[in-house]
Amino acid sequence: MPDSSIYRQLYEEAEQQPLDLSGSPTETICPLYYVLERIEDRYELEEEIGIGGMKQVFRVYDLQTERHVAMARPKDNVAPERYDAFLREGHITSRLEHPNIIKIFDMGIDGSMRPFFTMEYKRGLSLRKILNLLRAGENVEEYSLPRRLSIFLRICEAIAYAHSRHVLHLDLKPENIQVGTFGEVQVCDWGLGEIERGESEQHSSEALLDPDLYGDQLETGIRGTPGYMAPEQENPKAPKTIQTDIYALGCLLYELSTL
């Protein structure tokens, strides 16, 4: 049987030889690298899938990762001085890493110098759509009371985690809850979110969340959705706390339980 040291010597000699790629195009050796190199505009706009507040949400195709994602952009009538208010949602959401909270992938400035951020594109139904179907007598067995309470518990887990990071949602409602095709539940649309003041201020540097930067300083009117707003939300100057979100959770529980 040949001495294994001979093979080892041949291998080491081959390793030391430079690889000659002359005459070989890049796409032959590294096709994936070549595809990425050619991409100039990463996202291909496909269709609008949502609108609300100051933003529009589109389904776009990410050419770099070859998948569909959701892209949020300010509405055309949003002035540049309000771009930070728009970006606040992306910054807050990107710091909440939880399976029941929508994930942020990317943030940037497009060719028109308007900000954007991209998120998971979830296939499924909003909780509002599910409730509407149930009221119409459809999907009753699929979304029985135990299933609806299971959805509610996942929402609670997401909000409990956000509160542990001193983040308030302040707009919990069925429209902002997405139920995926595989049963996943995610809390979306943190556009009205705030950083809880008081104790959170001493943790702001650790969490990279400054209450003054992410607070409500750019919006002075009443913000929220009637039917889910806690009484203190009627006063824009009143402090918001975790109890504000808990009030909305109570409204959700009532609606999920009684339709």
Side-chain angles (χ1 to χ4, degrees), residues 26 32 38 50 63 74 96 99 126 161-162 165 172-173 177 183 197 223 228 233:
T26 305
L32 293 177
R38 290 186 302 172
L63 294 172
L96 298 175
S126 72
Y161 166 77
R165 299 285 290 168
L172 289 169
K173 57 184 178 180
I177 310 299
R197 294 184 176 273
R223 302 164 71 211
Y228 303 91
Q233 288 180 279

Side-chain angles (χ1 to χ4, degrees), residues 64 90 132 139 157 236 243:
Q64 288 189 5
N132 288 343
N139 290 13
E157 289 171 358
Q243 283 79 14

Side-chain angles (χ1 to χ4, degrees), residues 1 15 35 47 54 58 60 75 82 96 99 114 121 135 161 194 199 208 214 217 226 229 231 242:
M1 188 172 185
E15 282 281 283
V35 169
E47 64 172 331
M54 67 173 65
F58 299 86
V60 300
K75 292 180 182 177
R82 301 187 69 202
L96 298 175
R114 297 177 67 82
Y121 173 64
R135 291 183 180 116
Y161 166 77
E194 291 185 19
E199 182 185 356
L208 298 179
Y214 292 102
Q217 75 278 14
M229 292 169 60
I242 62 173

Side-chain angles (χ1 to χ4, degrees), residues 178-227:
Q178 189 74 11
V179 180
T181 53
F182 299 103
E184 62 272 32
V185 178
Q186 290 191 315
V187 180
C188 310
D189 200 342
W190 294 75
L192 300 189
E194 291 185 19
I195 307 306
E196 186 183 17
R197 294 184 176 273
E199 182 185 356
S200 66
E201 292 178 357
Q202 63 184 338
H203 300 288
S204 60
S205 60
E206 175 185 343
L208 298 179
L209 293 174
D210 182 352
D212 290 323
L213 175 61
Y214 292 102
D216 198 21
Q217 75 278 14
L218 295 179
E219 305 290 338
T220 58
I222 296 175
R223 302 164 71 211
T225 301

Side-chain angles (χ1 to χ4, degrees), residues 119-166:
M119 308 164 283
E120 290 179 276
Y121 173 64
K122 284 295 184 182
R123 293 170 174 81
L125 299 173
S126 72
L127 189 54
R128 169 59 66 210
K129 178 65 174 178
I130 291 172
L131 289 169
N132 288 343
L133 289 172
L134 289 170
R135 291 183 180 116
E138 302 178 37
N139 290 13
V140 175
E141 294 184 1
E142 182 179 358
Y143 292 101
S144 62
L145 178 58
R147 173 79 187 281
R148 300 199 302 271
L149 293 179
S150 175
I151 291 173
F152 178 73
L153 287 176
R154 296 189 189 183
I155 299 169
C156 290
E157 289 171 358
I159 299 305
Y161 166 77
H163 290 170
S164 76
R165 299 285 290 168
H166 311 290

